[in-house]
Amino acid sequence: MKNFYITKLGCDKNDVDADVMRGLISTAGYNEVYSPDKASIIIVNTCGFIKAAKEESIDAILTATEYSKSVRVYVTGCLAERYAEELAQEIPEVVSFVGVGHFDQIADILMENEPKKIYRDSKRIGKSFTKRKVDSTPSAFVKIADGCNSKCSYCAIPAIKGNYQSRNLSEIIQEVKILAENGTKEINLVAQNTTAYGMDLAANINIIDLLKSLLEIDGIEWYRLLYCYPGYISSELIDLIAKEDRIASYLDIPIQHAHPHILKAMKRSSRELINADWFNSLRSRIPSLTLRTTLIVGFPGETDEEFQYLKDFINEVKFDHLGVFGYSEEENTDAALLENKVSQEVINERQRELIEEQKYISYTKKKKMLHSQVKVIVSKKLSRTRYEVLSKANAPNIDSAFYIESEQNLEIGEVVDVVITDISFDSLLGRSK
């Protein structure tokens, strides 16, 4: 039996694709191992979004090719889609480069006696999501669409993944049912723009229809929406989140910046909604709303005054969670042609400054949670009495960690009520009731 090993890199959407490949390859009769030195096949599922991610992916590919001459190395994901020809020239040891539209054919590719060097076609969306192999965990990400129709000036995603492509609603429902039967309690819905779901489908359906269908599935404690674009957050969606307890009162809205000039240069849509009044209106309509965003600092032409405007903005809105990225110049994007580049030193300093600013904002908000009661899902046992847990207000692997103490033995996936007893800059601590 051939042993295979997968290296996962990049975002949670990439992780979903990797899990589909794991399931398909296992079903084809291969044995998954969890150490590359035990594998005869290594698959590196890459990210090609920004410079740091590309460098990490290249390092992983080179490491995989060093294990043994008998190991067959396959490269999948965004880097394979974007740079297959160049990589094939530079790293001939790789058997095949499999782009984002062909990950669902990986088992067939592995079994070919003489596979092609490049498989690529971003116009098709990979399928077979119901075949995915998910490690035993009460939380899972479900990718409901791929690609993007936005033309943000700094972003290469449309060039890599093509236009927005929604998955079939019935297939998503089937996937979630399988996850629920396997013990998953929390579902995180993801796409490049989750709230745009259905916009490209012939059937007249949207994210509201998807959520209502998913709410009919037993066993899932709650659903969370990640990557929501402001212009697609409808009044109907706000009302549904506000009234439905099984949809987490959590919105991840990646605004990238707040200054009108920078937003225009970024070619961000719905720029008029990026103001404190709009975010305050969301909070007024959704009780206990948790807000998350991501920002880019050091975009070409960003002045000290525009950076200060952004800093003032986050102090006014006070997001619960916030990620900060330094601008990364991507080839063949409009932003790469802009002048007045910001030095890397300044980018790093602005990134550090915003991260520090947000630490205290988040800490202040956490202080208000002390002694409050929260429903959580047990996700991992760390010691005899300590557990890691999931909550509606904390997205897994993204936001602050949440731990609890319990003298009672708790099962993974068990839902318990806890009281928050202590906080730190990067975590919460509670005690089961």
Side-chain angles (χ1 to χ4, degrees):
M1 181 178 289
K2 293 182 179 179
N3 295 334
F4 75 95
Y5 172 82
I6 287 188
T7 297
K8 295 181 180 182
L9 300 169
C11 66
D12 41 53
K13 295 178 285 295
N14 253 22
D15 282 352
V16 172
D17 295 347
D19 287 339
V20 173
M21 289 191 283
R22 293 170 63 213
L24 291 169
I25 298 169
S26 297
T27 301
Y30 294 78
N31 178 54
E32 184 174 12
V33 295
Y34 300 94
S35 176
D37 57 4
K38 296 180 180 179
S40 56
I41 295 170
I42 297 178
I43 299 165
V44 184
N45 194 41
T46 61
C47 178
F49 182 42
I50 59 176
K51 182 180 178 181
K54 288 184 282 188
E55 291 174 349
E56 181 185 26
S57 294
I58 293 293
D59 287 344
I61 296 168
L62 293 174
T63 298
T65 61
E66 292 174 357
Y67 273 96
S68 169
K69 289 184 179 180
S70 62
V71 173
R72 294 167 65 86
V73 178
Y74 294 79
V75 175
T76 61
C78 293
L79 205 70
E81 183 72 38
R82 192 175 183 188
Y83 298 111
E85 288 85 358
E86 297 92 328
L87 291 171
Q89 290 291 325
E90 295 295 327
I91 316 177
E93 297 91 340
V94 174
V95 175
S96 293
F97 294 89
V98 183
V100 297
H102 284 274
F103 68 86
D104 58 341
Q105 297 179 339
I106 188 66
D108 293 334
I109 293 170
L110 294 184
M111 290 187 285
E112 291 179 4
N113 290 327
E114 295 184 9
K116 293 189 296 183
K117 196 68 174 176
I118 297 171
Y119 298 81
R120 183 171 59 185
D121 180 7
S122 64
K123 293 181 180 179
R124 72 184 292 274
I125 182 170
K127 298 184 183 297
S128 304
F129 287 88
T130 55
K131 302 295 185 183
R132 66 184 287 197
K133 180 179 180 181
V134 180
D135 296 325
S136 180
T137 172
S139 179
F141 291 88
V142 171
K143 187 167 74 170
I144 64 174
D146 218 341
C148 187
N149 289 352
S150 298
K151 304 299 180 184
C152 301
S153 64
Y154 55 85
C155 184
I157 290 297
I160 298 171
K161 294 203 167 188
N163 289 333
Y164 195 89
Q165 301 172 74
S166 301
R167 288 178 57 201
N168 182 275
L169 186 146
S170 61
E171 186 189 60
I172 298 171
I173 293 171
Q174 183 184 359
E175 180 184 357
V176 173
K177 284 182 177 178
I178 293 171
L179 289 168
E181 290 169 0
N182 290 337
T184 299
K185 299 293 184 182
E186 171 188 84
I187 295 291
N188 301 281
L189 301 176
V190 294
Q192 295 305 134
N193 176 2
T194 305
T195 35
Y197 175 78
M199 60 177 281
D200 58 316
L201 297 178
N204 186 26
I205 61 174
N206 56 31
I207 188 64
I208 305 293
D209 302 303
L210 174 59
L211 287 169
K212 288 182 176 178
S213 297
L214 293 176
L215 288 170
E216 296 177 5
I217 300 173
D218 293 330
I220 303 298
E221 285 294 322
W222 61 70
Y223 297 89
R224 177 184 285 105
L225 291 168
L226 297 172
Y227 318 125
C228 307
Y229 280 32
Y232 292 84
I233 300 174
S234 66
S235 183
E236 186 180 3
L237 177 60
I238 295 169
D239 289 341
L240 181 63
I241 295 172
K243 75 176 184 179
E244 180 51 62
D245 185 60
R246 292 178 62 214
I247 302 176
S249 296
Y250 182 112
L251 283 173
D252 173 29
I253 307 172
I255 62 172
Q256 311 305 357
H257 212 279
H259 196 283
H261 292 168
I262 299 297
L263 288 170
K264 183 177 181 180
M266 287 179 166
K267 297 186 177 179
R268 295 288 292 175
S269 61
S270 306
R271 298 188 293 271
E272 70 282 356
L273 295 178
I274 309 305
N275 59 75
D277 288 343
W278 185 71
F279 284 103
N280 288 335
S281 71
L282 292 177
R283 284 192 168 116
S284 68
R285 294 181 61 183
I286 303 176
S288 304
L289 175 65
T290 297
L291 280 175
R292 187 181 203 283
T293 195
T294 51
L295 303 172
I296 296 173
V297 295
F299 188 81
E302 183 189 56
T303 64
D304 290 339
E305 291 75 18
E306 288 163 344
F307 172 70
Q308 184 61 48
Y309 182 99
L310 176 61
K311 188 175 176 181
D312 293 340
F313 182 82
I314 70 167
N315 274 290
E316 184 176 7
V317 175
K318 292 183 172 23
F319 293 95
D320 300 270
H321 308 292
L322 185 151
V324 186
F325 294 90
Y327 170 72
S328 174
E329 182 174 298
E330 295 301 307
E331 59 186 320
N332 300 319
T333 61
D334 292 344
L337 304 176
L338 296 175
E339 298 179 349
N340 299 321
K341 309 293 187 188
V342 179
S343 72
Q344 192 61 51
E345 181 181 5
V346 171
I347 290 175
N348 293 343
E349 175 57 27
R350 289 177 179 175
Q351 183 181 27
R352 184 201 64 77
E353 193 171 332
L354 276 194
I355 290 172
E356 285 297 310
E357 197 77 18
Q358 180 62 30
K359 279 176 62 176
Y360 287 94
I361 294 172
S362 295
Y363 185 77
T364 301
K365 296 177 80 68
K366 286 176 188 172
K367 285 171 65 176
K368 297 178 181 179
M369 299 174 67
L370 278 171
H371 312 303
S372 63
Q373 181 175 308
V374 182
K375 181 167 74 171
V376 300
I377 301 169
V378 179
S379 60
K380 186 184 298 183
K381 186 167 186 174
L382 303 174
S383 69
R384 187 183 68 82
T385 60
R386 177 166 286 216
Y387 300 82
E388 188 170 345
V389 298
L390 307 165
S391 82
K392 291 181 180 179
N394 296 73
N397 307 321
I398 300 173
D399 300 330
S400 301
F402 197 156
Y403 308 102
I404 65 168
E405 295 285 346
S406 175
E407 293 297 332
Q408 297 178 328
N409 185 49
L410 302 176
E411 298 294 328
I412 303 302
E414 185 174 349
V415 180
V416 295
D417 290 324
V418 302
V419 174
I420 296 175
T421 57
D422 198 7
I423 62 168
S424 69
F425 281 114
D426 55 5
S427 66
L428 296 164
L429 179 64
R431 181 170 292 278
S432 63
K433 294 192 67 180

